[in-house]
Amino acid sequence: MRDLAYLKLLAREFPSVKMASSEIINLTAILGLPKGTEYFFSDLHGEYEAFVHLLRSASGIIREKINDTFGHIISEDEQMELANLIYYPERFLSKYTHQGKATDEWKKIIIYRLVQICRLVSSKYTRSKVRKKMPKEFAYIIDELLHVDYRDYNKDVYYSEIIHSMIEIDAADKFIVALCHLIQNLTIDSLHIIGDIFDRGPRADIIMKELMNFHDVDIQWGNHDISWMGAATGNPACICNVLRIAISYNSFDVLEDGYGINLRPLSMFAAHVYRDDPCEKFSPKILDENIYDAVDPGLAAKMHKAIAMIQFKVEGQIIKRHPEYKMEDRLLLEAVDYERGTVTLEGKTYALTDKAFPTVDPKNPLKLTKEEEELMHTLVVSFRHSELLHRHINFLYTHGSLYKCYNSNLLYHGCIPMKEDGSFEEMMFDGKAQYGKSLMDCIEKQIKKAYFLPDGDKEKEDAGDFMWYLWCGAKSPVFGKDRMATFEHYFIADKSTHKENMNPYYRLSVEEKYCGQILEEFGLSREGSHIINGHVPVKIKDGEKPVKAGGKLYIIDGGLSKAYQSKTGIAGYTLIYNSNHLALAEHKPFMPNKENTPKVYITEKMANRIRVADTDLGKDIAERISDLKELVAAYRAGVIKELV
């Protein structure tokens, strides 16, 4: 029998045999239901418009449900109008009202159609679960409408009167909005984000807001997320990196309007120090226009170079502080001959494409000038005191991890570091070599120390430096390359120096043998399990496929970021895992007010329909049932007295 103290605690929740038995019956019934639909997204990179659309449309699945239900009744245009109403109910109701389309008769028809779609997407859940997702204001009415038998004339009249009354009291619009949000909510049961919410795109903060409002979400941190998390700890190198990337992609809105980061000191510093320097190599990529904080491209280029130079300095200081990182080859400011305008890499000398270094002291190139020190102090304070940023970073910590094992799937962003011979790469922690799962666990502990240890703690500062290492270190599982060639991209024309070699994982993991090895390392079976990975864009236009290793490996970074779409040929993937199959939704580049429904195709059919009993949730429920049975036995044996 369970510990008596535990059973007594359980008895407070279920104070009688009747109540405990009722819960056993309820939970047992849930075990027999089909598993909920899981959605997997990767590498969102601030593309909030595309992501919000995919989330609201369930990556095209709601459009499929409309076709399944009404394809033989209403036209293609009407189906598309209904879909857009479900995705953006407030916007489209306003539009229809303005156009005079939102008549009482139209509202009756729309409510009927929405109830039919809602009935379809709620069919795999208990009435209790569906009721919990309903807005309280309309819960009773929605519940009644979902379970109406329209063949019963009396009932039909009753429900018609309900809808007539709502229209009469001017509540129909709110009811339509409530139904649309419920359909969205029921279509996606749980959401997995396989890393890289931040950088490149315009508004990662809006994506974070959407995720925080979602009912069931987990995040596996990517290298760009780690960089922002490190910046929130106050680590100067991470702050410089975040600013450098944002400025290079013209993403000023996310910094200033989104997170309230004060960039005026940086703009003033850059305008003064680089006033005679065109900073041509640092011109930003204009993929999106800033709405709230338009910055002149010439000034943006100067700001870009200013923060990049500070970054190279503070990164060099970290490398000096941590010889265990073995990154001395990245001390490139010390490898520059400032008189000749050259840099020496691996014994070979290259001419610099930009030789203007007004803030660098050739005798001590890693030392910040007094003005740079003051600027960095201001920027650190700005990052440390951004309330919204820390709300979002806290969410990343509470809902995130380096990896996740769930329903026979292993989720992580980058890689499990490996050696050329297929063995796992090692890192030393507290004098002990760690690899595979234990390495990931040790790294996750360091990530948490960087944020949660008290300020001034040496261990916190070291962990903050380690966050930077995770951004660009050779053994980092979220980076997965031998080096970050940022300096070479800026200052050396020879493209052979720009090459960043991928960890052997990326060559080996496409083979079933090594996928099986990784799955077993994390306690999963070789058969029926999958690795779900992001980080490396799949170049469909070059013939690459997202499903590898005989179906064991899914790489779902297909380029949601505009920066990658010319290379991939598409705009990313959603992996959809329901009770019958695994499917990939192949996204089109997002175009506002255009048809954006992804192409969905099944990649693996389940031999038998997966029930809740077959899932990790089912294991938890089964354990709960076992506990409740012991409680009932304790009641009946008189060991615990019923309280009601």
Side-chain angles (χ1 to χ4, degrees), residues 43-49 51 196-207 254 288 560-562:
D43 296 85
L44 306 178
H45 284 303
E47 297 290 351
Y48 73 99
E49 286 187 305
F51 176 67
D196 278 0
I197 295 165
F198 290 87
D199 290 336
R200 296 199 179 97
R203 295 301 294 265
D205 59 305
I206 296 176
I207 292 178
V254 71
D288 297 279
L560 191 64
S561 170
K562 296 184 190 77

PDB file of all heavy atoms in Angstrom, residues 43-49 51 196-207 254 288 560-562:
ATOM      1  N   ASP A  43      12.481  27.068 -35.192  1.00  0.00           N
ATOM      2  CA  ASP A  43      13.164  28.200 -35.841  1.00  0.00           C
ATOM      3  C   ASP A  43      12.175  29.262 -36.319  1.00  0.00           C
ATOM      4  O   ASP A  43      12.103  29.599 -37.495  1.00  0.00           O
ATOM      5  CB  ASP A  43      14.032  27.690 -37.001  1.00  0.00           C
ATOM      6  CG  ASP A  43      15.143  26.778 -36.501  1.00  0.00           C
ATOM      7  OD1 ASP A  43      14.890  25.569 -36.326  1.00  0.00           O
ATOM      8  OD2 ASP A  43      16.249  27.275 -36.255  1.00  0.00           O
ATOM      9  N   LEU A  44      11.442  29.811 -35.366  1.00  0.00           N
ATOM     10  CA  LEU A  44      10.437  30.834 -35.675  1.00  0.00           C
ATOM     11  C   LEU A  44      11.079  32.173 -36.016  1.00  0.00           C
ATOM     12  O   LEU A  44      10.536  32.951 -36.796  1.00  0.00           O
ATOM     13  CB  LEU A  44       9.487  31.004 -34.479  1.00  0.00           C
ATOM     14  CG  LEU A  44       8.821  29.719 -33.968  1.00  0.00           C
ATOM     15  CD1 LEU A  44       7.943  30.020 -32.770  1.00  0.00           C
ATOM     16  CD2 LEU A  44       8.017  29.049 -35.068  1.00  0.00           C
ATOM     17  N   HIS A  45      12.205  32.463 -35.397  1.00  0.00           N
ATOM     18  CA  HIS A  45      13.039  33.630 -35.723  1.00  0.00           C
ATOM     19  C   HIS A  45      12.250  34.932 -35.889  1.00  0.00           C
ATOM     20  O   HIS A  45      12.435  35.666 -36.861  1.00  0.00           O
ATOM     21  CB  HIS A  45      13.860  33.360 -36.979  1.00  0.00           C
ATOM     22  CG  HIS A  45      15.034  32.445 -36.740  1.00  0.00           C
ATOM     23  ND1 HIS A  45      16.015  32.731 -35.811  1.00  0.00           N
ATOM     24  CD2 HIS A  45      15.367  31.240 -37.290  1.00  0.00           C
ATOM     25  CE1 HIS A  45      16.905  31.752 -35.810  1.00  0.00           C
ATOM     26  NE2 HIS A  45      16.536  30.831 -36.687  1.00  0.00           N
ATOM     27  N   GLY A  46      11.361  35.198 -34.938  1.00  0.00           N
ATOM     28  CA  GLY A  46      10.696  36.497 -34.908  1.00  0.00           C
ATOM     29  C   GLY A  46       9.655  36.723 -35.984  1.00  0.00           C
ATOM     30  O   GLY A  46       9.094  37.820 -36.076  1.00  0.00           O
ATOM     31  N   GLU A  47       9.354  35.706 -36.801  1.00  0.00           N
ATOM     32  CA  GLU A  47       8.378  35.876 -37.889  1.00  0.00           C
ATOM     33  C   GLU A  47       6.967  35.735 -37.317  1.00  0.00           C
ATOM     34  O   GLU A  47       6.269  34.742 -37.515  1.00  0.00           O
ATOM     35  CB  GLU A  47       8.633  34.847 -38.997  1.00  0.00           C
ATOM     36  CG  GLU A  47       9.978  34.980 -39.676  1.00  0.00           C
ATOM     37  CD  GLU A  47      10.093  36.233 -40.548  1.00  0.00           C
ATOM     38  OE1 GLU A  47       9.068  36.917 -40.754  1.00  0.00           O
ATOM     39  OE2 GLU A  47      11.205  36.518 -41.016  1.00  0.00           O
ATOM     40  N   TYR A  48       6.541  36.776 -36.630  1.00  0.00           N
ATOM     41  CA  TYR A  48       5.309  36.689 -35.848  1.00  0.00           C
ATOM     42  C   TYR A  48       4.059  36.568 -36.703  1.00  0.00           C
ATOM     43  O   TYR A  48       3.128  35.837 -36.351  1.00  0.00           O
ATOM     44  CB  TYR A  48       5.199  37.893 -34.898  1.00  0.00           C
ATOM     45  CG  TYR A  48       4.873  39.205 -35.582  1.00  0.00           C
ATOM     46  CD1 TYR A  48       3.571  39.697 -35.590  1.00  0.00           C
ATOM     47  CD2 TYR A  48       5.863  39.944 -36.221  1.00  0.00           C
ATOM     48  CE1 TYR A  48       3.266  40.892 -36.213  1.00  0.00           C
ATOM     49  CE2 TYR A  48       5.563  41.137 -36.850  1.00  0.00           C
ATOM     50  CZ  TYR A  48       4.273  41.607 -36.848  1.00  0.00           C
ATOM     51  OH  TYR A  48       3.972  42.785 -37.471  1.00  0.00           O
ATOM     52  N   GLU A  49       4.004  37.263 -37.840  1.00  0.00           N
ATOM     53  CA  GLU A  49       2.799  37.182 -38.674  1.00  0.00           C
ATOM     54  C   GLU A  49       2.590  35.769 -39.192  1.00  0.00           C
ATOM     55  O   GLU A  49       1.480  35.219 -39.136  1.00  0.00           O
ATOM     56  CB  GLU A  49       2.885  38.169 -39.841  1.00  0.00           C
ATOM     57  CG  GLU A  49       2.679  39.616 -39.451  1.00  0.00           C
ATOM     58  CD  GLU A  49       2.618  40.514 -40.659  1.00  0.00           C
ATOM     59  OE1 GLU A  49       3.569  40.482 -41.469  1.00  0.00           O
ATOM     60  OE2 GLU A  49       1.629  41.241 -40.803  1.00  0.00           O
ATOM     61  N   PHE A  51       3.872  32.958 -37.975  1.00  0.00           N
ATOM     62  CA  PHE A  51       3.636  32.005 -36.889  1.00  0.00           C
ATOM     63  C   PHE A  51       2.223  32.126 -36.330  1.00  0.00           C
ATOM     64  O   PHE A  51       1.553  31.107 -36.100  1.00  0.00           O
ATOM     65  CB  PHE A  51       4.655  32.201 -35.765  1.00  0.00           C
ATOM     66  CG  PHE A  51       4.382  31.310 -34.584  1.00  0.00           C
ATOM     67  CD1 PHE A  51       4.527  29.933 -34.688  1.00  0.00           C
ATOM     68  CD2 PHE A  51       3.963  31.840 -33.369  1.00  0.00           C
ATOM     69  CE1 PHE A  51       4.258  29.096 -33.608  1.00  0.00           C
ATOM     70  CE2 PHE A  51       3.691  31.017 -32.288  1.00  0.00           C
ATOM     71  CZ  PHE A  51       3.842  29.643 -32.415  1.00  0.00           C
ATOM     72  N   ASP A 196      14.835  28.490 -31.147  1.00  0.00           N
ATOM     73  CA  ASP A 196      15.072  29.694 -31.947  1.00  0.00           C
ATOM     74  C   ASP A 196      13.795  30.477 -32.226  1.00  0.00           C
ATOM     75  O   ASP A 196      13.351  30.627 -33.370  1.00  0.00           O
ATOM     76  CB  ASP A 196      15.815  29.354 -33.242  1.00  0.00           C
ATOM     77  CG  ASP A 196      17.311  29.221 -33.015  1.00  0.00           C
ATOM     78  OD1 ASP A 196      17.751  29.391 -31.856  1.00  0.00           O
ATOM     79  OD2 ASP A 196      18.046  28.954 -33.976  1.00  0.00           O
ATOM     80  N   ILE A 197      13.261  31.043 -31.156  1.00  0.00           N
ATOM     81  CA  ILE A 197      12.145  31.981 -31.245  1.00  0.00           C
ATOM     82  C   ILE A 197      12.673  33.353 -31.670  1.00  0.00           C
ATOM     83  O   ILE A 197      11.995  34.096 -32.370  1.00  0.00           O
ATOM     84  CB  ILE A 197      11.435  32.078 -29.884  1.00  0.00           C
ATOM     85  CG1 ILE A 197      10.794  30.722 -29.525  1.00  0.00           C
ATOM     86  CG2 ILE A 197      10.398  33.190 -29.864  1.00  0.00           C
ATOM     87  CD1 ILE A 197      10.396  30.593 -28.071  1.00  0.00           C
ATOM     88  N   PHE A 198      13.909  33.654 -31.281  1.00  0.00           N
ATOM     89  CA  PHE A 198      14.459  35.015 -31.410  1.00  0.00           C
ATOM     90  C   PHE A 198      15.341  35.192 -32.646  1.00  0.00           C
ATOM     91  O   PHE A 198      15.781  34.231 -33.261  1.00  0.00           O
ATOM     92  CB  PHE A 198      15.277  35.351 -30.164  1.00  0.00           C
ATOM     93  CG  PHE A 198      14.443  35.551 -28.929  1.00  0.00           C
ATOM     94  CD1 PHE A 198      14.090  34.472 -28.130  1.00  0.00           C
ATOM     95  CD2 PHE A 198      13.983  36.804 -28.572  1.00  0.00           C
ATOM     96  CE1 PHE A 198      13.316  34.654 -26.991  1.00  0.00           C
ATOM     97  CE2 PHE A 198      13.211  37.003 -27.442  1.00  0.00           C
ATOM     98  CZ  PHE A 198      12.884  35.917 -26.652  1.00  0.00           C
ATOM     99  N   ASP A 199      15.579  36.488 -32.956  1.00  0.00           N
ATOM    100  CA  ASP A 199      16.534  36.964 -33.968  1.00  0.00           C
ATOM    101  C   ASP A 199      16.024  36.826 -35.404  1.00  0.00           C
ATOM    102  O   ASP A 199      15.182  35.996 -35.716  1.00  0.00           O
ATOM    103  CB  ASP A 199      17.894  36.266 -33.836  1.00  0.00           C
ATOM    104  CG  ASP A 199      18.649  36.691 -32.583  1.00  0.00           C
ATOM    105  OD1 ASP A 199      18.382  37.796 -32.083  1.00  0.00           O
ATOM    106  OD2 ASP A 199      19.490  35.910 -32.105  1.00  0.00           O
ATOM    107  N   ARG A 200      16.601  37.685 -36.240  1.00  0.00           N
ATOM    108  CA  ARG A 200      16.377  37.766 -37.686  1.00  0.00           C
ATOM    109  C   ARG A 200      15.035  38.380 -38.066  1.00  0.00           C
ATOM    110  O   ARG A 200      14.993  39.333 -38.817  1.00  0.00           O
ATOM    111  CB  ARG A 200      16.548  36.399 -38.372  1.00  0.00           C
ATOM    112  CG  ARG A 200      17.955  35.846 -38.264  1.00  0.00           C
ATOM    113  CD  ARG A 200      18.219  34.764 -39.294  1.00  0.00           C
ATOM    114  NE  ARG A 200      19.589  34.288 -39.168  1.00  0.00           N
ATOM    115  CZ  ARG A 200      19.954  33.205 -38.496  1.00  0.00           C
ATOM    116  NH1 ARG A 200      19.024  32.454 -37.909  1.00  0.00           N
ATOM    117  NH2 ARG A 200      21.211  32.858 -38.403  1.00  0.00           N
ATOM    118  N   GLY A 201      13.933  37.816 -37.577  1.00  0.00           N
ATOM    119  CA  GLY A 201      12.622  38.363 -37.898  1.00  0.00           C
ATOM    120  C   GLY A 201      12.283  39.563 -37.034  1.00  0.00           C
ATOM    121  O   GLY A 201      12.992  39.884 -36.077  1.00  0.00           O
ATOM    122  N   PRO A 202      11.154  40.245 -37.321  1.00  0.00           N
ATOM    123  CA  PRO A 202      10.889  41.553 -36.709  1.00  0.00           C
ATOM    124  C   PRO A 202      10.445  41.544 -35.261  1.00  0.00           C
ATOM    125  O   PRO A 202      10.806  42.431 -34.508  1.00  0.00           O
ATOM    126  CB  PRO A 202       9.784  42.140 -37.604  1.00  0.00           C
ATOM    127  CG  PRO A 202       9.117  40.951 -38.220  1.00  0.00           C
ATOM    128  CD  PRO A 202      10.196  39.923 -38.395  1.00  0.00           C
ATOM    129  N   ARG A 203       9.628  40.564 -34.802  1.00  0.00           N
ATOM    130  CA  ARG A 203       9.021  40.722 -33.475  1.00  0.00           C
ATOM    131  C   ARG A 203       8.909  39.395 -32.719  1.00  0.00           C
ATOM    132  O   ARG A 203       7.831  38.813 -32.585  1.00  0.00           O
ATOM    133  CB  ARG A 203       7.639  41.367 -33.600  1.00  0.00           C
ATOM    134  CG  ARG A 203       7.613  42.784 -34.125  1.00  0.00           C
ATOM    135  CD  ARG A 203       8.403  43.766 -33.270  1.00  0.00           C
ATOM    136  NE  ARG A 203       7.859  43.961 -31.950  1.00  0.00           N
ATOM    137  CZ  ARG A 203       7.026  44.938 -31.611  1.00  0.00           C
ATOM    138  NH1 ARG A 203       6.623  45.811 -32.528  1.00  0.00           N
ATOM    139  NH2 ARG A 203       6.601  45.063 -30.373  1.00  0.00           N
ATOM    140  N   ALA A 204      10.032  38.952 -32.162  1.00  0.00           N
ATOM    141  CA  ALA A 204      10.002  37.759 -31.310  1.00  0.00           C
ATOM    142  C   ALA A 204       9.154  37.989 -30.067  1.00  0.00           C
ATOM    143  O   ALA A 204       8.568  37.049 -29.515  1.00  0.00           O
ATOM    144  CB  ALA A 204      11.417  37.359 -30.904  1.00  0.00           C
ATOM    145  N   ASP A 205       9.053  39.240 -29.622  1.00  0.00           N
ATOM    146  CA  ASP A 205       8.267  39.535 -28.420  1.00  0.00           C
ATOM    147  C   ASP A 205       6.789  39.215 -28.629  1.00  0.00           C
ATOM    148  O   ASP A 205       6.101  38.758 -27.705  1.00  0.00           O
ATOM    149  CB  ASP A 205       8.449  40.992 -27.999  1.00  0.00           C
ATOM    150  CG  ASP A 205       8.026  41.972 -29.093  1.00  0.00           C
ATOM    151  OD1 ASP A 205       8.549  41.863 -30.220  1.00  0.00           O
ATOM    152  OD2 ASP A 205       7.173  42.846 -28.826  1.00  0.00           O
ATOM    153  N   ILE A 206       6.277  39.419 -29.846  1.00  0.00           N
ATOM    154  CA  ILE A 206       4.875  39.101 -30.133  1.00  0.00           C
ATOM    155  C   ILE A 206       4.668  37.588 -30.142  1.00  0.00           C
ATOM    156  O   ILE A 206       3.643  37.083 -29.664  1.00  0.00           O
ATOM    157  CB  ILE A 206       4.437  39.746 -31.466  1.00  0.00           C
ATOM    158  CG1 ILE A 206       4.489  41.272 -31.341  1.00  0.00           C
ATOM    159  CG2 ILE A 206       3.033  39.288 -31.864  1.00  0.00           C
ATOM    160  CD1 ILE A 206       4.165  42.025 -32.624  1.00  0.00           C
ATOM    161  N   ILE A 207       5.648  36.852 -30.649  1.00  0.00           N
ATOM    162  CA  ILE A 207       5.568  35.386 -30.607  1.00  0.00           C
ATOM    163  C   ILE A 207       5.534  34.910 -29.159  1.00  0.00           C
ATOM    164  O   ILE A 207       4.736  34.037 -28.795  1.00  0.00           O
ATOM    165  CB  ILE A 207       6.755  34.743 -31.353  1.00  0.00           C
ATOM    166  CG1 ILE A 207       6.654  35.025 -32.850  1.00  0.00           C
ATOM    167  CG2 ILE A 207       6.806  33.232 -31.095  1.00  0.00           C
ATOM    168  CD1 ILE A 207       7.808  34.482 -33.669  1.00  0.00           C
ATOM    169  N   VAL A 254      11.783  45.343 -32.220  1.00  0.00           N
ATOM    170  CA  VAL A 254      11.766  44.369 -31.126  1.00  0.00           C
ATOM    171  C   VAL A 254      12.596  44.860 -29.945  1.00  0.00           C
ATOM    172  O   VAL A 254      12.270  44.590 -28.782  1.00  0.00           O
ATOM    173  CB  VAL A 254      12.255  42.977 -31.603  1.00  0.00           C
ATOM    174  CG1 VAL A 254      13.753  42.970 -31.895  1.00  0.00           C
ATOM    175  CG2 VAL A 254      11.933  41.902 -30.562  1.00  0.00           C
ATOM    176  N   ASP A 288      12.509  43.478 -43.275  1.00  0.00           N
ATOM    177  CA  ASP A 288      11.247  44.003 -42.749  1.00  0.00           C
ATOM    178  C   ASP A 288      11.447  45.475 -42.417  1.00  0.00           C
ATOM    179  O   ASP A 288      12.522  45.879 -41.950  1.00  0.00           O
ATOM    180  CB  ASP A 288      10.825  43.253 -41.478  1.00  0.00           C
ATOM    181  CG  ASP A 288      10.563  41.782 -41.736  1.00  0.00           C
ATOM    182  OD1 ASP A 288       9.466  41.468 -42.204  1.00  0.00           O
ATOM    183  OD2 ASP A 288      11.466  40.965 -41.472  1.00  0.00           O
ATOM    184  N   LEU A 560      11.193  29.230 -41.913  1.00  0.00           N
ATOM    185  CA  LEU A 560      10.132  30.190 -41.610  1.00  0.00           C
ATOM    186  C   LEU A 560      10.690  31.611 -41.695  1.00  0.00           C
ATOM    187  O   LEU A 560       9.995  32.540 -42.093  1.00  0.00           O
ATOM    188  CB  LEU A 560       9.553  29.920 -40.213  1.00  0.00           C
ATOM    189  CG  LEU A 560       8.261  30.665 -39.867  1.00  0.00           C
ATOM    190  CD1 LEU A 560       7.116  30.235 -40.767  1.00  0.00           C
ATOM    191  CD2 LEU A 560       7.879  30.446 -38.405  1.00  0.00           C
ATOM    192  N   SER A 561      11.968  31.765 -41.332  1.00  0.00           N
ATOM    193  CA  SER A 561      12.632  33.062 -41.433  1.00  0.00           C
ATOM    194  C   SER A 561      12.797  33.452 -42.901  1.00  0.00           C
ATOM    195  O   SER A 561      13.266  32.663 -43.727  1.00  0.00           O
ATOM    196  CB  SER A 561      14.009  33.000 -40.765  1.00  0.00           C
ATOM    197  OG  SER A 561      14.756  34.162 -41.058  1.00  0.00           O
ATOM    198  N   LYS A 562      12.431  34.700 -43.229  1.00  0.00           N
ATOM    199  CA  LYS A 562      12.576  35.206 -44.605  1.00  0.00           C
ATOM    200  C   LYS A 562      14.024  35.105 -45.073  1.00  0.00           C
ATOM    201  O   LYS A 562      14.287  34.942 -46.270  1.00  0.00           O
ATOM    202  CB  LYS A 562      12.116  36.654 -44.692  1.00  0.00           C
ATOM    203  CG  LYS A 562      10.641  36.877 -44.402  1.00  0.00           C
ATOM    204  CD  LYS A 562      10.285  38.351 -44.630  1.00  0.00           C
ATOM    205  CE  LYS A 562       8.891  38.677 -44.112  1.00  0.00           C
ATOM    206  NZ  LYS A 562       8.863  38.811 -42.635  1.00  0.00           N
TER     207      LYS A 562
END
